[in-house]
Amino acid sequence: MHSTFLVHKPTTTFNWQIGNATPTRHATILLVSPFLKNMKFMKLGSKPDSLEARGHSTRYVSSELATDVTINVGEVKFYLHKFPLLSKSKRLQKLMSKASEEDSDDIYLDDFPGGPKAFEICAKFCYEMTVTLNAYNVVAARCAAEYLEMTEDIDLGNLVFKIEVFLNSGIFCCWKDSIIVLQTCNSFLPWSEDLKIIERCIGSITSKIAVDPARVFWSYTYNRKLTERKKLVEHKMMFLDHIESVPKDWWVEDICELDIDLYKRVMICVKSNGRTDSIVIAEALKVYAMRWLPDSIDALTSEEHASRNKSLVETVICLLPCDNGIGCSCSFLLKLLKFAILVGANESAREELMKKISPKLHEACVKDLLIPAKSPQITTYDVDLVQGLLNQYLIHEQGRCNMEVIEEKDNGKDLYISSDKSILNIGKLVDGYLGEIAHEPNLGLSSFVDLSQSVPDCARPSHDGLYRAIDIYLKKHPDLTKAERKKLCRLMDVKKLTANASMHAAQNDRLPLRVIVQVLFFEQVRATARIQAIHNNSHDPLRLGGGEKRGINRCQSLKVPMKEEGKLSKKNSKNSRSGMQLLRSGSRRIIDKLWIVGKGQQENNRSSETSGSLENNSPTMSSALRHQRHSIS
């Protein structure tokens, strides 16, 4: 429940008004409820404004009495009368007394806070001319009044007192005006700091952020989404309940206009009160960083804004919630790390950021990891950084290294796959990243191999992604020696390639011949197991139908596009020898022998009435394949 209220102070009469309240000449100060939209200004004085301008550098009071003092504020001269000024300002009393001793009518205020505009407000107040204070000029007026010592010991109800009442009972009770006033404070340092205007603004803002969102209705970012207040219920001044709820981050965008130093102080207070969720704090930091950090690398690192951007990045990093990055998305943290590297943020800030990223690395995508490398590195992307993040992630996961492994049957073949989705995501992430950096001509083989080998075996139930990365690396690095190509291909387990990937590998001239033979061998083993399963189900139509359905579904899941080689043929030719024409001629004789053995095996299976004949022939094929592999070795 909110209501209007009165602040009483027995003083001499004066005339002033806040918001749309009715003017009063009594000692009572009438304030409209600070939560209403019309609490945005305060009017002082009742006399018409007779302060006129002559050009840009002269101000004078239009009066029958000749002016007797000249106040110089910066480049502007004010021709005024002594008496109204002496009755309100102790400082002007001292300065006029000193000027009189020197037989001069000129007073100089070169260091006046707020400049000519702020002095004009004070001068009009001394003449009781109408002057309006609002969130945009109240700080200037308060600092100017303090400079001129317009306090209560000179005159009751003086300007300092009235502005303080306006600040405490009006500005600091209003969400929007508190933010506006805080924004203006930087222009009046150190006065605004010494007068604790900044401190009180921050206190006002943070106290409202801590309020239950169900009771919030003062945000100007979301106010158009809220239900308009109906009329007050008689004298109880009770507002109707919200129809639409306010999000927890209702305040995030509102404070984005603050300078980084003031924003930091606000966020420190928000964190210290302990009432705001770390997820909301992280969202606020993300919105602020995205608001002020440019997307362009050139703009980010330009000399003109380098210092500011560095300060901003370091500040956002130090404000991150102390929850090991739980409240922040991995994508945002990696983007922040990218910015930190580009702007040259201090080493401790980068290390702290990496500690927050590493436990969440499985949430990243490949694009997030493409962080530009800086000198003296010669690669386009910082591979060592990603290697460091991966190492930290695996160390973090060692505590729960006893990862549950589930067994799966693939046409008689055992597959052991980790049930931990995070480690599976790491496998896909690293393989995708390897595929991106494989295009880099300056990427050394050792870096590629080390990064690939860092991934645990259980993270790669399929080696299709790794095969794609290896193929790209072979294509982009044609000068690799035979030993280097073998070392690279040893990273891959051909038993973990899908049917489409195996078909692609069997026709890939860049692979060592031994690898191609291994691919063909395991594809033949897989085909044999498939025929065995069909034969075993041939006497059971229901089982056969179910097996066919499962086979179709599995084949669909095995379709993996190989971007570097184009689309694979969709036709399953009865005579697979047409595909073998793509192999280099030196290997066709060996492949032909394998094909004859496999073909004879299939014909024997079709003519056999029992599964025993297939089992009897299997050793023959295996023996032949072993013989051919031995000859290749």
Side-chain angles (χ1 to χ4, degrees):
M1 180 184 301
H2 305 290
S3 60
T4 57
F5 54 93
L6 300 177
V7 178
H8 298 275
K9 183 176 178 66
T11 66
T12 55
T13 60
F14 50 84
N15 184 359
W16 66 312
Q17 176 184 359
I18 295 183
N20 293 333
T22 304
T24 176
R25 293 192 61 82
H26 301 289
T28 301
I29 302 172
L30 179 61
L31 298 177
V32 178
S33 172
F35 301 106
L36 294 178
K37 289 184 177 180
N38 57 1
M39 169 49 75
K40 295 179 180 178
F41 62 90
M42 178 179 74
K43 283 188 177 180
L44 301 176
S46 59
K47 295 181 180 179
D49 186 355
S50 57
L51 187 63
E52 299 182 6
R54 183 183 297 132
H56 295 290
S57 59
T58 302
R59 303 287 186 275
Y60 65 95
V61 175
S62 177
S63 171
E64 295 178 357
L65 296 175
T67 59
D68 52 6
V69 64
T70 303
I71 310 293
N72 297 272
V73 183
E75 297 179 354
V76 179
K77 294 180 179 292
F78 289 85
Y79 296 93
L80 306 173
H81 302 88
K82 291 182 179 180
F83 178 74
L85 303 178
L86 293 174
S87 65
K88 300 291 185 182
S89 171
K90 183 187 292 188
R91 189 180 187 99
L92 288 179
Q93 288 180 3
K94 298 174 186 177
L95 293 174
M96 288 182 185
S97 175
K98 184 178 179 180
S100 179
E101 293 175 0
E102 298 174 353
D103 195 22
S104 172
D105 294 330
D106 288 323
I107 296 175
Y108 293 90
L109 305 176
D110 295 328
D111 57 345
F112 194 82
K117 290 185 178 180
F119 180 81
E120 186 174 320
I121 293 174
C122 297
K124 287 181 178 180
F125 176 81
C126 293
Y127 281 90
E128 296 186 7
M129 298 177 190
T130 300
V131 60
T132 301
L133 296 179
N134 54 46
Y136 295 97
N137 64 12
V138 67
V139 177
R142 178 65 183 88
C143 296
E146 187 70 21
Y147 180 95
L148 294 174
E149 300 178 36
M150 301 176 72
T151 57
E152 293 294 281
D153 57 346
I154 297 297
D155 184 43
L156 293 179
N158 212 342
L159 185 56
V160 168
F161 165 71
K162 293 182 179 180
I163 293 178
E164 281 297 321
V165 173
F166 178 51
L167 287 171
N168 294 325
S169 302
I171 293 292
F172 298 144
C173 294
C174 180
W175 167 256
K176 178 179 179 179
D177 289 350
S178 295
I179 294 175
I180 294 172
V181 167
L182 185 58
Q183 283 179 278
T184 64
C185 284
N186 267 352
S187 302
F188 302 98
L189 294 172
W191 290 91
S192 57
E193 193 74 75
D194 295 340
L195 296 174
K196 300 188 183 301
I197 299 176
I198 293 178
E199 180 181 330
R200 287 182 286 169
C201 277
I202 292 174
S204 168
I205 292 169
T206 54
S207 66
K208 290 175 177 58
I209 290 174
V211 170
D212 182 354
R215 298 174 55 196
V216 170
F217 51 84
W218 49 74
S219 167
Y220 63 94
T221 297
Y222 289 95
N223 59 6
R224 60 182 176 275
K225 299 180 181 179
L226 302 180
T227 305
E228 288 292 329
R229 292 299 177 275
K230 305 299 181 182
K231 61 180 181 179
L232 303 179
V233 181
E234 296 180 355
H235 301 291
K236 295 182 179 180
M237 310 296 289
M238 183 179 295
F239 292 115
L240 297 179
D241 294 335
H242 291 178
I243 294 179
E244 297 183 25
S245 61
V246 176
K248 290 183 179 180
D249 62 348
W250 60 268
W251 52 274
V252 166
E253 294 181 13
D254 294 1
I255 64 173
C256 272
E257 297 303 317
L258 293 175
D259 179 80
I260 184 61
D261 294 329
L262 294 175
Y263 183 85
K264 179 180 180 180
R265 293 175 63 174
V266 170
M267 292 304 298
I268 288 174
C269 288
V270 170
K271 292 177 64 179
S272 64
N273 67 27
R275 299 180 186 178
T276 306
D277 192 281
S278 62
I279 296 178
V280 179
I281 292 175
E283 179 63 19
L285 295 173
K286 177 182 177 181
V287 171
Y288 189 83
M290 296 303 102
R291 167 68 176 81
W292 291 107
L293 289 174
D295 293 330
S296 168
I297 294 178
D298 292 337
L300 186 71
T301 57
S302 66
E303 294 183 3
E304 182 181 359
H305 303 293
S307 177
R308 171 188 169 278
N309 290 336
K310 179 181 177 181
S311 174
L312 194 154
V313 170
E314 292 177 347
T315 299
V316 171
I317 293 174
C318 81
L319 289 174
L320 290 171
C322 301
D323 57 359
N324 291 327
I326 295 175
C328 304
S329 70
C330 188
S331 178
F332 168 61
L333 292 175
L334 282 166
K335 184 172 287 189
L336 202 57
L337 179 60
K338 176 182 176 180
F339 289 156
I341 293 172
L342 290 173
V343 301
N346 60 64
E347 190 68 26
S348 60
R350 281 184 280 178
E351 290 178 357
E352 182 64 26
L353 201 52
M354 289 181 68
K355 289 180 182 179
K356 293 180 182 296
I357 293 171
S358 55
K360 302 166 67 71
L361 190 60
H362 59 277
E363 299 176 8
C365 63
V366 174
K367 184 179 179 181
D368 296 330
L369 296 179
L370 299 179
I371 299 174
K374 297 197 73 175
S375 180
Q377 298 182 68
I378 59 174
T379 55
T380 303
Y381 301 113
D382 197 335
V383 181
D384 293 339
L385 177 68
V386 175
Q387 179 74 68
L389 288 172
L390 181 59
N391 292 342
Q392 288 188 26
Y393 174 84
L394 295 174
I395 292 173
H396 180 269
E397 291 294 304
Q398 271 185 347
R400 50 194 205 93
C401 217
N402 297 325
M403 293 174 287
E404 182 183 354
V405 176
I406 57 176
E407 182 177 354
E408 204 176 87
K409 294 286 185 178
D410 181 13
N411 292 325
K413 176 182 174 183
D414 292 334
L415 293 178
Y416 296 95
I417 304 174
S418 171
S419 63
D420 189 343
K421 290 185 178 180
S422 63
I423 200 68
L424 295 178
N425 289 341
I426 282 292
K428 293 178 182 178
L429 177 66
V430 173
D431 288 349
Y433 181 73
L434 288 170
E436 289 295 325
I437 64 174
H439 295 86
E440 174 60 53
N442 294 325
L443 178 65
L445 179 63
S446 59
S447 297
F448 187 96
V449 172
D450 291 345
L451 184 57
S452 175
Q453 290 179 335
S454 299
V455 179
D457 291 340
C458 60
R460 284 193 180 110
S462 169
H463 276 210
D464 284 14
L466 180 58
Y467 165 64
R468 174 182 175 273
I470 290 172
D471 185 42
I472 295 172
Y473 191 89
L474 288 171
K475 183 177 181 180
K476 298 296 180 179
H477 300 78
D479 296 332
L480 291 177
T481 65
K482 184 177 180 180
E484 288 175 332
R485 289 195 298 133
K486 286 183 177 180
K487 179 181 180 180
L488 183 64
C489 290
R490 275 198 294 269
L491 298 172
M492 176 178 59
D493 185 352
V494 297
K495 291 181 291 185
K496 292 185 177 182
L497 295 179
T498 61
N500 280 353
S502 295
M503 180 66 72
H504 186 278
Q507 304 174 53
N508 192 343
D509 288 342
R510 287 185 287 273
L511 297 178
L513 183 59
R514 183 184 181 89
V515 175
I516 295 175
V517 172
Q518 288 177 341
V519 170
L520 291 170
F521 170 76
F522 286 112
E523 273 304 298
Q524 184 62 40
V525 172
R526 186 148 46 186
T528 301
R530 193 178 301 117
I531 294 171
Q532 176 71 60
I534 294 174
H535 180 79
N536 290 339
N537 293 332
S538 62
H539 301 293
D540 189 345
L542 292 178
R543 291 180 62 187
L544 180 59
E548 289 174 349
K549 183 176 181 181
R550 287 192 298 272
I552 292 172
N553 291 336
R554 191 160 194 87
C555 286
Q556 289 176 346
S557 67
L558 290 175
K559 292 179 181 178
V560 178
M562 297 295 165
K563 297 181 181 178
E564 293 298 319
E565 294 295 328
K567 296 183 179 179
L568 296 176
S569 174
K570 297 181 179 179
K571 297 182 179 179
N572 185 13
S573 174
K574 293 182 180 180
N575 184 6
S576 298
R577 297 190 58 150
S578 60
M580 297 302 103
Q581 298 300 323
L582 297 175
L583 292 173
R584 49 188 177 270
S585 59
S587 63
R588 285 189 192 139
R589 180 167 48 86
I590 298 170
I591 303 306
D592 286 345
K593 292 181 180 180
L594 295 178
W595 171 254
I596 292 170
V597 173
K599 185 174 181 181
Q601 176 72 20
Q602 293 181 13
E603 291 174 351
N604 288 338
N605 286 336
R606 293 192 189 97
S607 61
S608 176
E609 294 296 328
T610 64
S611 60
S613 61
L614 178 65
E615 295 171 355
N616 292 335
N617 286 330
S618 295
T620 303
M621 189 191 88
S622 300
S623 176
L625 287 171
R626 281 196 299 270
H627 174 72
Q628 296 301 332
R629 293 175 61 195
H630 178 72
S631 65
I632 294 172
S633 302

